Amino acid sequence: MSLLKSTALSVNLNKVALVRNTRPLGIPSVLFAAALCLDAGAHGITVHPRPDERHIRPQDVRDLAALLRKDWPKAEFNIEGNPFHNLMEFVRELRPHQATFVPDSETQSTSDHGWSFPEDAERLRPLIAETRALGVRVSLFMDPNPDMMAAAKAVGADRVELYTEGYAASRDTPKADAVLRLYVDAARAAHAAGLEVNAGHDLSRDNLTEFLRVVPAVREVSIGHAFVADSLELGYTAATREYLQRIAEAQ
């Protein structure tokens, strides 16, 4: 059972931008999607602006930052990406509530692994320090490896985001219980090290409640692909409420 009263829902809007970018018409609108989700109760917005601009573009990031400051000052803005590519320019300019450092390459279609320690420690440390000095919380995208959590804290992170594709892929297989236990152990190790825990990647309406019921004290889930797919069928407002209900069922 979670130690929290609730887990925050941050909606990732990358796939809305991906559809928009297929035609020069400006639709669907990333800003309108954000407004509908936040009006329906989402706690924050996540974007992952990659260098190739194949979905979220720099102006989207700036426009979303302005929208949240103006109309939803209590909503969290989470910008994720590789700090050795283009993430830091957004952190320095916009100072979002949270920066999620992700070790993806420029050619990856999506994130597929977390940081590794001690290999990544020294190059991450100064960027984490700079980001925190700007007043921005740092979350490190991490595989569910309990042995890595203390090292993530040692380089200065505030949170880890557990990479949950392994959990999603293992459901309905003989490995499901063992894989879920690994996430439980990783979350506990993170808490023991003084870190807070986020989670994201391939979480959906079908698997979210089970994950949050079992993995302790998840502060925030970031959900994009499944959320946007559901929104195509249900609409943004109904999809947001469905995900909030799945979170509530876990408590």
Side-chain angles (χ1 to χ4, degrees):
M1 178 65 68
S2 172
L3 302 176
L4 299 174
K5 292 183 178 179
S6 187
T7 299
L9 171 65
S10 187
V11 175
N12 186 315
L13 297 176
N14 284 8
K15 291 300 171 67
V16 177
L18 183 69
V19 175
R20 178 204 59 196
N21 293 352
T22 62
R23 297 282 297 276
L25 303 175
I27 54 173
S29 166
V30 172
L31 291 182
F32 188 55
L36 288 174
C37 294
L38 292 167
D39 269 342
H43 304 97
I45 297 296
T46 291
V47 289
H48 188 146
R50 287 186 166 87
D52 62 10
E53 300 183 16
R54 64 181 181 268
H55 37 62
I56 289 292
R57 295 169 174 166
Q59 193 58 48
D60 295 323
V61 185
R62 297 182 179 100
D63 290 345
L64 284 165
L67 177 72
L68 268 63
R69 281 195 300 268
K70 177 177 179 291
D71 294 336
W72 286 278
K74 294 184 179 180
E76 181 191 84
F77 192 31
N78 173 45
I79 306 177
E80 61 181 30
N82 192 319
F84 304 107
H85 295 161
N86 62 335
L87 176 65
M88 292 305 297
E89 62 188 74
F90 296 110
V91 171
R92 292 164 183 143
E93 176 186 352
L94 301 173
R95 303 192 184 192
H97 302 90
Q98 178 172 270
T100 301
F101 287 16
V102 182
D104 58 344
S105 72
E106 294 190 32
T107 58
Q108 280 180 237
S109 61
T110 188
S111 308
D112 65 5
H113 66 283
W115 298 100
S116 183
F117 298 108
E119 294 88 344
D120 294 318
E122 291 311 308
R123 63 188 190 130
L124 281 175
R125 195 184 307 274
L127 295 179
I128 292 173
E130 178 187 356
T131 301
R132 296 186 71 212
L134 292 170
V136 179
R137 182 196 314 128
V138 175
S139 178
L140 296 182
F141 194 67
M142 299 291 293
D143 297 313
N145 183 341
D147 295 336
M148 292 283 181
M149 298 301 124
K153 178 63 176 180
V155 296
D158 301 291
R159 294 187 183 183
V160 292
E161 180 178 326
L162 297 180
Y163 169 43
T164 49
E165 182 181 11
Y167 160 71
S170 72
R171 294 187 81 233
D172 302 320
T173 76
K175 297 180 179 179
D177 289 345
V179 171
L180 186 54
R181 175 54 53 183
L182 189 61
Y183 284 90
V184 172
D185 292 344
R188 287 177 175 165
H191 297 143
L195 293 161
E196 294 181 318
V197 175
N198 297 340
H201 205 97
D202 289 352
L203 293 175
S204 69
R205 285 191 295 161
D206 294 334
N207 62 33
L208 179 59
T209 299
E210 179 186 9
F211 185 85
L212 294 179
R213 278 178 177 161
V214 177
V215 180
V218 177
R219 290 295 306 268
E220 173 186 290
V221 289
S222 176
I223 304 177
H225 184 92
F227 181 92
V228 173
D230 289 333
S231 295
L232 290 173
E233 299 176 352
L234 305 174
Y236 294 118
T237 298
T240 301
R241 291 172 179 166
E242 286 275 348
Y243 277 89
L244 292 172
Q245 179 61 31
R246 297 300 193 277
I247 291 172
E249 290 168 359
Q251 310 309 313

